[in-house]
């Protein structure tokens, strides 16, 4: 019996997500085809001009927008941001610093602080002896 190695492919949406770009802003040939694992690796290691431009100026998908603003994706939605934004629009939002953005950044900071507290508590619990009856 011989084994046949098939090329692993993915939908353009999956590839765009892995590349951190907004699918609708990619070239038509990217959107309409399938992307092999080899092609994805090539795009990541040696990005073409269109990919470099998208990563630099956008429009950016919501996870990237959220990260650049320091909020969660849900926080974006609560702030009314449901579409992809360009780097220029993100910078303008940072400059304007609306009340919703301040609130969501504070919320995100609390979430991070709580995550650190829980991690430290779990690490401390792991160090304690399992059986205290000795």
């Amino acid at each position: 019996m011989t084994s046949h190695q098939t090329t692993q492919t993915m939908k353009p949406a999956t590839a765009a997500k892995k590349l951190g770009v907004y699918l609708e802003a990619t070239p038509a040939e990217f959107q309409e085809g399938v992307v092999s694992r080899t092609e994805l690796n090539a795009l990541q290691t040696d990005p073409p001009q269109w990919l470099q431009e998208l990563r630099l100026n956008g429009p950016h998908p919501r996870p990237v927008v959220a990260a650049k603003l320091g909020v969660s994706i849900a926080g974006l939605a609560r702030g009314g941001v449901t579409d992809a934004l360009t780097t220029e629009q993100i910078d303008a939002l940072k400059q304007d610093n609306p009340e919703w953005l301040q609130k969501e950044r504070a919320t995100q900071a609390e979430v991070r602080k709580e995550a650190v507290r829980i991690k430290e508590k779990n690490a401390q619990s792991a160090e304690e002896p399992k059986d205290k009856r000795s």
Side-chain angles (χ1 to χ4, degrees), residues 7 22 30 45 48-49 58 62 73 80 88 90 111 122 130 133:
T7 304
Y22 186 56
F30 181 85
T45 55
Q49 184 62 38
R62 288 184 306 152
I73 294 173
E88 190 176 306
I90 293 168
V111 168
N122 289 343
K130 299 276 188 236
R133 286 183 272 170

Coordinates of all heavy atoms in Angstrom, one line a residue, residues 7 22 30 45 48-49 58 62 73 80 88 90 111 122 130 133:
T7 N -2.0 17.8 -0.4 CA -1.6 19.2 0.0 C -2.7 19.8 0.8 O -3.9 19.7 0.5 CB -1.4 20.1 -1.3 OG1 -0.5 19.5 -2.1 CG2 -1.0 21.5 -0.9
Y22 N -7.7 41.9 6.6 CA -9.2 41.9 6.3 C -9.4 41.3 5.0 O -8.9 41.8 4.0 CB -9.6 43.4 6.4 CG -11.1 43.6 6.3 CD1 -12.0 43.0 7.1 CD2 -11.6 44.5 5.3 CE1 -13.4 43.2 7.0 CE2 -12.9 44.7 5.1 CZ -13.8 44.1 6.0 OH -15.2 44.3 5.9
F30 N -6.7 36.3 -4.5 CA -6.6 35.7 -3.1 C -7.9 35.3 -2.6 O -8.1 34.2 -2.1 CB -5.9 36.7 -2.2 CG -5.7 36.1 -0.8 CD1 -4.6 35.4 -0.5 CD2 -6.6 36.4 0.2 CE1 -4.3 34.9 0.8 CE2 -6.4 35.9 1.5 CZ -5.3 35.1 1.8
T45 N 6.6 34.5 5.3 CA 8.0 34.8 5.4 C 8.5 35.9 4.4 O 9.4 36.6 4.7 CB 8.8 33.5 5.1 OG1 8.4 32.9 3.8 CG2 8.6 32.5 6.2
P48 N 4.1 39.8 -0.1 CA 4.1 40.6 -1.3 C 3.7 42.0 -0.9 O 3.3 42.3 0.2 CB 3.1 40.0 -2.1 CG 2.2 39.1 -1.2 CD 3.1 38.8 -0.1
Q49 N 3.9 43.0 -1.8 CA 3.6 44.4 -1.5 C 2.2 44.6 -1.0 O 2.0 45.4 -0.1 CB 3.8 45.2 -2.8 CG 3.6 46.7 -2.6 CD 4.6 47.3 -1.6 OE1 5.8 46.9 -1.6 NE2 4.2 48.2 -0.8
G58 N -4.0 49.0 6.6 CA -5.4 48.5 6.7 C -6.1 48.6 5.4 O -5.5 48.8 4.4
R62 N -11.3 43.2 12.9 CA -11.6 43.6 14.2 C -10.6 43.1 15.3 O -10.3 43.9 16.2 CB -13.0 43.2 14.6 CG -14.1 44.1 13.9 CD -15.5 43.8 14.3 NE -15.7 42.4 14.1 CZ -16.6 41.7 14.8 NH1 -17.4 42.2 15.7 NH2 -16.8 40.4 14.6
I73 N -12.7 42.6 21.6 CA -13.6 42.7 20.4 C -15.0 43.1 20.9 O -15.6 43.9 20.2 CB -13.5 41.4 19.6 CG1 -12.1 41.2 19.1 CG2 -14.6 41.4 18.5 CD1 -11.9 39.8 18.4
G80 N -19.6 50.6 19.3 CA -20.2 50.9 18.1 C -19.3 50.7 16.9 O -19.6 51.0 15.7
E88 N -5.2 54.9 9.9 CA -5.5 56.3 10.1 C -6.7 56.5 11.0 O -6.7 57.4 11.9 CB -5.7 57.0 8.7 CG -5.8 58.5 8.7 CD -6.0 59.0 7.3 OE1 -5.2 58.7 6.4 OE2 -7.0 59.8 7.1
I90 N -7.8 54.4 13.2 CA -7.5 53.9 14.5 C -6.7 55.0 15.3 O -7.0 55.3 16.4 CB -6.6 52.6 14.5 CG1 -7.5 51.5 14.0 CG2 -6.1 52.3 15.8 CD1 -6.7 50.2 13.6
V111 N -9.3 43.3 33.5 CA -9.3 41.9 33.1 C -7.9 41.3 33.1 O -7.7 40.2 33.6 CB -10.0 41.8 31.7 CG1 -9.7 40.4 31.1 CG2 -11.5 42.1 31.7
N122 N -2.9 30.4 41.2 CA -2.8 29.0 40.8 C -1.4 28.5 41.0 O -1.2 27.4 41.3 CB -3.3 28.9 39.4 CG -4.8 29.0 39.2 OD1 -5.5 28.9 40.2 ND2 -5.3 29.3 38.0
K130 N 0.2 18.9 48.5 CA -1.1 18.4 48.2 C -1.8 17.8 49.4 O -3.0 17.9 49.6 CB -1.1 17.3 47.1 CG -0.5 17.7 45.8 CD -1.5 18.4 45.0 CE -1.0 18.6 43.6 NZ -1.1 20.0 43.2
R133 N -1.7 16.6 55.8 CA -1.9 15.8 57.0 C -0.6 15.4 57.6 O -0.5 15.1 58.8 CB -2.7 14.5 56.7 CG -4.2 14.8 56.5 CD -4.9 13.6 56.2 NE -4.9 13.3 54.8 CZ -5.3 12.3 54.2 NH1 -5.7 11.3 54.9 NH2 -5.2 12.1 52.9

